[in-house]
Amino acid sequence: MLKIKTPKTQRAKRALDNRAPKIVENAKKTLILHGTKTSGVVNAVLMQIYHMKRDNAVKYTKKNENIRPFESGGETSLEFFSLKTDCSLFVFGSHSKKRPNNLVLGRMFDHHIYDLVEVGVDNFKSTETFGYDKKLTPRIGSKPFFAFIGEGFESVEELKQLKEVLLDLFRGEVVENLNLAGIDHVFVCTAVSPTTVFFTHCALRLKKSGTLVPRMELVEVGPSMDLVIRRHRLPNDSVKKEATKTTSDQPKKKIKNVSSDIVQGKIGRIYIPDQKAGSIPLSNDIKGLKRERREAKKSKRAQETGENEAKKQKTCSDDHKLIGN
Amino acid sequence: MELEKYQIDLGNLMGFDATHHFDSIPSSREELAKLCLEKGTELVQAIANALFALPATEDRDGPIVHLPQPTTKLPREKHVCITKRKKGKRAFDEQTGTWKRTHGYDRINDDKDIPIIEAKLSDEPGEDPLGKRKDEKKKRIEKQKKNQLQNLKQAAKAGALPSHVQFAATALPITGTRADLPTKSSKEELENVAGMAATATASGGKFDWKLPGEKPLKHTGKHRKFLPVVEGKGMSSQEQKQTAKILEQLMAKSSNNILDVNKAVTVFNVKKERKRRMEKEIQRTTPSKLEPKKSLKKPSKKH
């Protein structure tokens, strides 16, 4: 016998609602892990990626020997971790003779694998080896710039996919308002050949120029490496369609008091406030009486109301007199 | 000179130069890096130009611009959900023609407000129609819940269970006994276990720090005494005594003698002494001369 687990506390309910599918989604979290064997380079790369994405990344330290992203059975562990940590991106590092310094960058849809790109890391230079003014260090969480150079990113399928994945991985939260003083760093990716991309991370220095727009200066800070594309897996067409589906921009506004009927079409409801029929004064024009009497009544009433008004005015003027004195 | 028109996506702060290609790959790494940085600088400058052209509002931290929506479509993380429409707290009740609350006391569509329920031919006399309505509603709710659970189970079987739904087992699985279920320990059990763990220490749990709320242990202290490592002066070897005691006990166990000779001799001697004392008393108390005199001679032991 099973039953659905419902949260018992409000805190648990809020946590669950945070993880539930939404129209406007949370920023994607990244899961960083490695396989049975890693090299120093792979370890350094994983560590640097983790440091860059500190707030929304989870790093696992254990070896995972049963994760093989490109094999059909080797994905279950990954999907389980993704479910538990609510991560939609992952970086899986490994090292073997056939594939040295290997990184598998992947994305998930509904916690199942969406697409994968396998790259090899060559000529890795870590952040420590770059000498730069420490004041320029980019802050964690600042929105980065992206510069993609090369026609390969448009023509070659794998490079197109890599461009998308890198964008997803490093862009952070999608924000509406940006503070121009907080522009810190830029990721520069150059397609050197149809299979290699030169990837580097630079800090931005804004210099005074004559115009309103400051002059940009790039200073290499972060890790720089050559990414050699090895294998890749594109998403299924149906899954891709599902993932790129978007609702219309404005949420459906509920129009109150309007409903539609099959027979009658569009029906509206009007609520009339209480008319208070008992307290409405009757009209002076009493149509039952003969003309002279009617007019006499009318004029009498008019006199009375006129006197009342005069009385009111008098009292007002009396008050004024008193005030005057 | 042709204009380098870059594709700029301001929502992602991305610039893409689709026209660039390497005629010849630069010879050294430094050359390549320099070239890439140059091109990168151009691109970033182009993005910055577009960015600073946006209308900016002044804030205390700096100028804030409103970014447009990103143009590169990236796939979603999870599927699109159905938004729930919220009902207002008050609604217009058709039956009474007044505004009432949707749930709770004095609510809309309440069975209490139905003045007359017309009887159909199928109804038996003496049946409570309102009770029947209540029962039917209960049945409907149960059926709905059951169907929901079945749907989720089917989804789980197919591997498409939504990530925010989890199952909990309410009863034993078909195979297995009550003993297989993990039982929650009671408070007393936990205290006992804590006490047992404490006695495993060298000082028997006497000096263990207690958490606030923990009761003191019932049987503290050691139950075994060990000989001192270094003996003081004037003490005969305790170790020798200990070993002699153990040896005696072992030997006594293994010997088949039922009679303890020393004890038997002592018992016999004591009995004799008592008998003699008693006879002496009798002699003293009886003054008669007619009594045969007892010979003062001791009987010789030579027989």
Side-chain angles (χ1 to χ4, degrees), chain B residues 94-112:
Chain B
E94 293 294 344
Q95 280 165 1
T96 51
T98 52
W99 284 89
K100 287 187 174 181
R101 58 190 76 156
T102 37
H103 309 290
Y105 176 76
D106 190 29
R107 58 177 176 267
I108 61 169
N109 299 330
D110 199 359
D111 278 354
K112 286 192 293 183

Side-chain angles (χ1 to χ4, degrees), chain A residues 29-42:
Chain A
K29 291 208 304 204
T30 313
L31 179 65
I32 302 172
L33 32 54
H34 58 264
T36 332
K37 194 168 166 207
T38 53
S39 61
V41 171
V42 168

Side-chain angles (χ1 to χ4, degrees), chain B residues 216-251:
Chain B
L217 288 172
K218 286 182 200 158
H219 310 290
T220 53
K222 295 184 275 190
H223 303 297
R224 286 179 71 184
K225 194 177 168 197
F226 293 100
L227 293 173
V229 176
V230 176
E231 275 186 27
K233 283 189 254 181
M235 285 201 278
S236 55
S237 175
Q238 282 181 330
E239 202 180 334
Q240 271 183 4
K241 277 191 194 168
Q242 194 187 46
T243 43
K245 191 168 149 192
I246 294 167
L247 193 65
E248 265 182 37
Q249 283 177 347
L250 281 172
M251 298 302 273

Side-chain angles (χ1 to χ4, degrees), chain A residues 10-277:
Chain A
Q10 284 295 326
R11 189 176 178 212
K13 184 166 168 283
R14 282 194 297 262
L16 222 62
D17 282 340
N18 196 21
R19 292 199 173 189
K22 299 182 206 170
I23 293 197
V24 178
E25 291 182 325
N26 303 337
K28 288 188 185 182
K29 291 208 304 204
T30 313
L31 179 65
I32 302 172
L33 32 54
H34 58 264
T36 332
K37 194 168 166 207
T38 53
S39 61
V41 171
V42 168
N43 284 336
V45 172
L46 293 177
M47 205 49 157
Q48 305 241 305
I49 295 177
Y50 178 58
H51 282 315
M52 278 197 281
K53 298 200 62 171
R54 208 42 185 283
D55 285 334
N56 52 2
V58 177
K59 186 170 189 297
Y60 280 176
T61 45
K62 273 175 84 170
K63 294 185 190 182
N64 302 291
E65 57 180 27
N66 53 355
I67 293 185
R68 285 168 223 277
F70 280 92
E71 282 170 42
S72 60
E75 309 165 336
T76 44
S77 238
L78 263 178
E79 290 177 359
F80 176 72
F81 289 144
S82 157
L83 189 66
K84 282 293 161 182
T85 54
D86 195 28
C87 289
S88 314
L89 291 161
F90 69 87
V91 180
F92 178 76
S94 63
H95 177 78
S96 69
K97 219 169 186 184
K98 192 173 174 188
R99 289 177 236 274
N101 299 335
N102 203 28
L103 276 184
V104 180
L105 310 168
R107 291 186 286 187
M108 303 270 195
F109 178 72
D110 259 352
H111 302 292
H112 295 296
I113 291 200
Y114 179 73
D115 69 349
L116 302 162
V117 178
E118 189 178 53
V119 287
V121 176
D122 282 339
N123 302 322
F124 173 69
K125 281 179 82 183
S126 80
T127 323
E128 285 89 44
T129 54
F130 288 101
Y132 56 93
D133 187 8
K134 296 300 170 197
K135 283 186 234 161
L136 291 172
T137 321
R139 283 165 290 191
I140 295 174
S142 59
K143 198 149 170 71
F145 277 62
F146 285 94
F148 288 97
I149 304 159
E151 60 187 5
F153 281 119
E154 217 175 33
S155 52
V156 182
E157 209 180 77
E158 290 107 330
L159 290 183
K160 249 198 303 190
Q161 195 188 3
L162 184 66
K163 174 168 168 258
E164 256 191 40
V165 172
L166 285 174
L167 197 62
D168 233 341
L169 195 63
F170 290 114
R171 74 168 169 170
E173 258 191 81
V174 180
V175 286
E176 272 193 9
N177 300 321
L178 179 73
N179 186 358
L180 293 177
I183 296 174
D184 261 13
H185 56 152
V186 58
F187 289 100
V188 182
C189 315
T190 324
V192 175
S193 79
T195 51
T196 359
V197 171
F198 174 65
F199 174 86
T200 183
H201 177 224
C202 309
L204 280 178
R205 195 191 261 157
L206 288 81
K207 292 225 147 142
K208 272 196 191 130
S209 71
T211 59
L212 281 166
V213 185
R215 190 165 61 85
M216 294 291 179
E217 202 180 283
L218 267 67
V219 178
E220 262 200 288
V221 244
S224 93
M225 55 188 114
D226 276 351
L227 302 174
V228 181
I229 298 197
R230 288 182 184 151
R231 289 184 287 184
H232 74 123
R233 193 201 285 185
L234 291 169
N236 289 342
D237 279 330
S238 55
V239 182
K240 189 170 178 186
K241 214 167 132 193
E242 190 66 42
T244 47
K245 220 198 266 190
T246 45
T247 52
S248 52
D249 286 5
Q250 268 151 350
K252 264 190 191 169
K253 289 233 163 176
K254 181 187 168 183
I255 310 164
K256 280 188 159 186
N257 300 321
V258 170
S259 60
S260 59
D261 195 12
I262 310 164
V263 177
Q264 292 168 319
K266 201 170 177 183
I267 306 175
R269 302 170 72 139
I270 307 168
Y271 295 103
I272 310 171
D274 193 9
Q275 287 176 336
K276 293 198 185 72

